[in-house]
Amino acid sequence: MNSSIHIQAILDASHDGIIAVDRDSTVIWVNKNAIEILGLPADIVGEKITRYIPNSDMLRILATGKKEIGDIATVLNRQIIINRLPIVVDGEIVGAVSTFKEITDIQKMEMRIRKHCMESGLEAKYRLEDIVGRSAAIREAKAWAATFGKTEATVLITGETGTGKELFAQGIHLGSQRAAGPFIAVNCAALPGNLLESELFGYEDGAFTGARRGGKPGLFELAHGGTLFLDEIGELSLPIQALLLRVLQEKKVRRIGGERIVPVDVRIIAATNRDLEQQIASGQFRSDLYYRLNVLTLELPPLRERKEDIPDLVWSIIHEVGERGDKRIRDVDPAIFALLQRHDWPGNVRELRNVVERMVLLCQSDRLDASDADYFVRKMQRARSGPQSGASDEEMLIRKVLEETKGNRVEAAKLLGMDRTTLWRKLKKFGDGGTRR
């Protein structure tokens, strides 16, 4: 193959636009992308570049011999980023070459790189429809979250620990125009102040002892084009609150130890189980940051206010455990649901998950029955404070089942997963020595 044809084929295969001139500013090479991006004629090779670009910056490169990297220009209503370099042979400038690419292409590649570089678990997986529950309270919360997803506004999610704030944040992200972008979650209470600052805003090489060589981008930079979820926002120190407020106002980040300002396009979803207004009153939280965050508020209901969702939640947890291959459960004694629905769940769904997972993993069959809840019953009894009065959870469970079986102890014993002798002994302990079938 003719070498010039070979070189031209290589140039045309490049995704970047490429144009080169000799020392007299005559075009010697140009590829198809350059012709298309710059709107040049196909037969420009051999012509002076100034005939088509009168004030070409290539002339400056020929005169100074200095490279220019990352220049931004607008050509034919398209923004492009340009690199210009001298062509030097034996110490002499014999020409110049310019490479360029549309900024939108770079932004798309950057998005793919950010997503590829994400650590496992930092991407949104749960959509709003994946959140379990049919109660009026949870349906209302999901409806508001869906509405918030259609906006670009900052969202503040409030609710007790374990109510699923991150699940809703992921659902809002995946229901938004940023769904293709990264979703990054950070627990503001999990890191000490100085470490959290470096994680959020990044740092430059040598910014502090132990800093990674070459520096490190912060989570704001990594979340560019997507969503940053700040969990337990009420735990932020006042200095970091001030830095966060500045980023929200200016949409720019400066790394620790650096001078360069990095523009960021990030949507913030914050969450807290604290009363931020009370923290403002006590001087622990900045009012200006609170009003910046509290544009849209989503309040999640505690589990005790939606106990009708417990059966669906239990089955969802059982299926998750089964998908992991740990244990498969095919049936659940209705008495289990009755027992679980009598507890107020201060730890909410997270606490329920722990209890149900333990029951499933320790179950000796493929059916959960009352005997699998013994640990939970004893735990609830120990958790009671002060003088105990009234029936125990176990007694209430047994009496509930007896009521459902209209006093039939044979049937009740089957439902409770215990033999009739055990049931009779327990009833005698509860002060009910009568017999029936």
Side-chain angles (χ1 to χ4, degrees):
M1 181 185 288
N2 182 289
S3 62
S4 64
I5 296 176
H6 198 174
I7 292 171
Q8 186 63 51
I10 293 172
L11 293 176
D12 286 339
S14 171
H15 187 64
D16 291 1
I18 304 173
I19 185 168
V21 299
D22 62 16
R23 70 182 73 194
D24 298 319
S25 73
T26 299
V27 177
I28 54 176
W29 294 105
V30 65
N31 72 350
K32 290 180 181 178
N33 278 331
I35 289 171
E36 193 273 326
I37 293 171
L38 298 179
L40 299 172
D43 58 353
I44 191 175
V45 173
E47 300 279 356
K48 294 281 189 182
I49 194 170
T50 50
R51 177 178 176 184
Y52 300 96
I53 308 176
N55 300 312
S56 173
D57 293 303
M58 300 279 271
L59 301 179
R60 185 170 60 254
I61 305 303
L62 292 171
T64 65
K66 295 181 179 179
K67 66 181 179 181
E68 297 177 355
I69 304 297
D71 189 20
I72 295 176
T74 301
V75 178
L76 301 179
N77 295 321
R78 289 188 290 192
Q79 277 199 310
I80 60 175
I81 188 162
I82 310 169
N83 299 321
R84 307 182 190 93
L85 301 95
I87 301 172
V88 180
V89 177
D90 296 330
E92 182 181 356
I93 299 171
V94 298
V97 62
S98 177
T99 64
F100 40 90
K101 184 191 295 287
E102 278 196 73
I103 287 178
T104 53
D105 288 342
I106 296 173
Q107 290 171 331
K108 289 174 184 175
M109 284 192 292
E110 178 191 39
M111 188 78 74
R112 287 194 294 270
I113 290 169
R114 288 181 193 274
K115 291 191 74 175
H116 180 73
C117 291
M118 289 294 170
E119 297 178 17
S120 175
L122 293 183
E123 293 181 89
K125 294 184 263 188
Y126 294 96
R127 299 183 178 277
L128 291 173
E129 52 265 34
D130 297 328
I131 296 173
V132 177
R134 290 175 282 183
S135 64
I138 203 70
R139 282 190 284 111
E140 182 182 15
K142 288 164 71 170
W144 278 118
T147 301
F148 294 170
K150 295 181 176 68
T151 76
E152 284 287 297
T154 301
V155 178
L156 179 63
I157 303 176
T158 63
E160 297 176 7
T161 298
T163 49
K165 293 187 283 294
E166 183 170 347
L167 295 186
F168 273 87
Q170 291 188 23
I172 292 170
H173 169 76
L174 289 176
S176 74
Q177 294 184 345
R178 296 175 177 266
F183 175 89
I184 298 183
V186 57
N187 188 319
C188 299
L191 301 171
N194 55 346
L195 184 54
L196 180 60
E197 181 181 356
S198 67
E199 284 295 309
L200 286 175
F201 308 110
Y203 55 82
E204 296 291 359
D205 189 5
F208 50 82
T209 303
R212 181 188 298 177
R213 181 175 295 179
K216 178 184 176 183
L219 297 181
F220 271 99
E221 291 180 62
L222 292 176
H224 180 76
T227 301
L228 180 59
F229 174 56
L230 301 174
D231 197 8
E232 300 197 49
I233 193 80
E235 304 294 332
L236 286 180
S237 66
L238 288 171
I240 295 183
Q241 288 179 36
L243 293 172
L244 175 59
L245 178 63
R246 179 181 297 175
V247 174
L248 294 178
Q249 290 173 334
E250 300 178 0
K251 300 188 184 301
K252 295 175 183 177
V253 170
R254 186 200 304 269
R255 292 186 187 179
I256 298 172
E259 296 296 328
R260 187 167 61 97
I261 301 294
V262 181
V264 289
D265 172 25
V266 175
R267 182 189 195 175
I268 297 295
I269 299 179
T272 184
N273 58 5
R274 292 196 170 200
D275 185 339
L276 294 185
E277 292 187 359
Q278 189 176 61
Q279 286 191 268
I280 291 171
S282 62
Q284 295 175 287
F285 204 85
R286 295 178 61 112
S287 59
D288 46 5
L289 176 59
Y290 172 71
Y291 294 120
R292 175 71 66 168
L293 292 171
N294 192 26
V295 178
L296 299 173
T297 304
L298 179 65
E299 185 173 353
L300 301 187
L303 185 54
R304 64 180 173 275
E305 293 180 5
R306 58 181 189 106
K307 288 184 179 181
E308 61 266 45
D309 289 333
I310 285 178
D312 287 339
L313 288 165
V314 169
W315 275 116
S316 175
I317 295 164
I318 288 172
H319 290 149
E320 284 181 30
V321 175
E323 287 174 2
R324 293 201 306 258
D326 295 335
K327 189 69 177 288
R328 293 198 178 275
I329 297 294
R330 304 187 187 281
D331 191 22
V332 178
D333 186 334
I336 294 285
F337 299 136
L339 172 65
L340 298 178
Q341 286 175 317
R342 284 202 295 274
H343 183 49
D344 276 343
W345 301 104
N348 293 290
V349 179
R350 186 178 294 130
E351 182 186 359
L352 176 67
R353 178 179 299 278
N354 291 340
V355 169
V356 174
E357 281 195 14
R358 187 185 193 281
M359 279 198 248
V360 170
L361 294 174
L362 297 182
C363 180
Q364 298 300 307
S365 67
D366 62 355
R367 182 179 191 271
L368 283 182
D369 58 35
S371 62
D372 296 304
D374 284 347
Y375 167 81
F376 176 65
V377 171
R378 291 195 300 271
K379 179 182 175 184
M380 292 306 100
Q381 290 172 339
R382 289 194 301 268
R384 290 175 179 172
S385 58
Q388 296 191 14
S389 60
S392 68
D393 285 337
E394 183 182 36
E395 180 181 350
M396 288 190 292
L397 173 60
I398 289 174
R399 293 195 183 283
K400 174 71 174 175
V401 174
L402 280 171
E403 183 181 327
E404 290 173 355
T405 61
K406 296 182 172 57
N408 187 325
R409 295 187 181 182
V410 175
E411 189 63 26
K414 287 181 182 178
L415 288 173
L416 290 165
M418 61 180 70
D419 59 45
R420 282 176 290 173
T421 304
T422 302
L423 176 58
W424 179 85
R425 188 174 61 251
K426 289 180 180 292
L427 286 172
K428 189 174 182 180
K429 182 180 70 174
F430 301 149
D432 184 357
T435 59
R436 181 178 176 185
R437 285 184 291 189

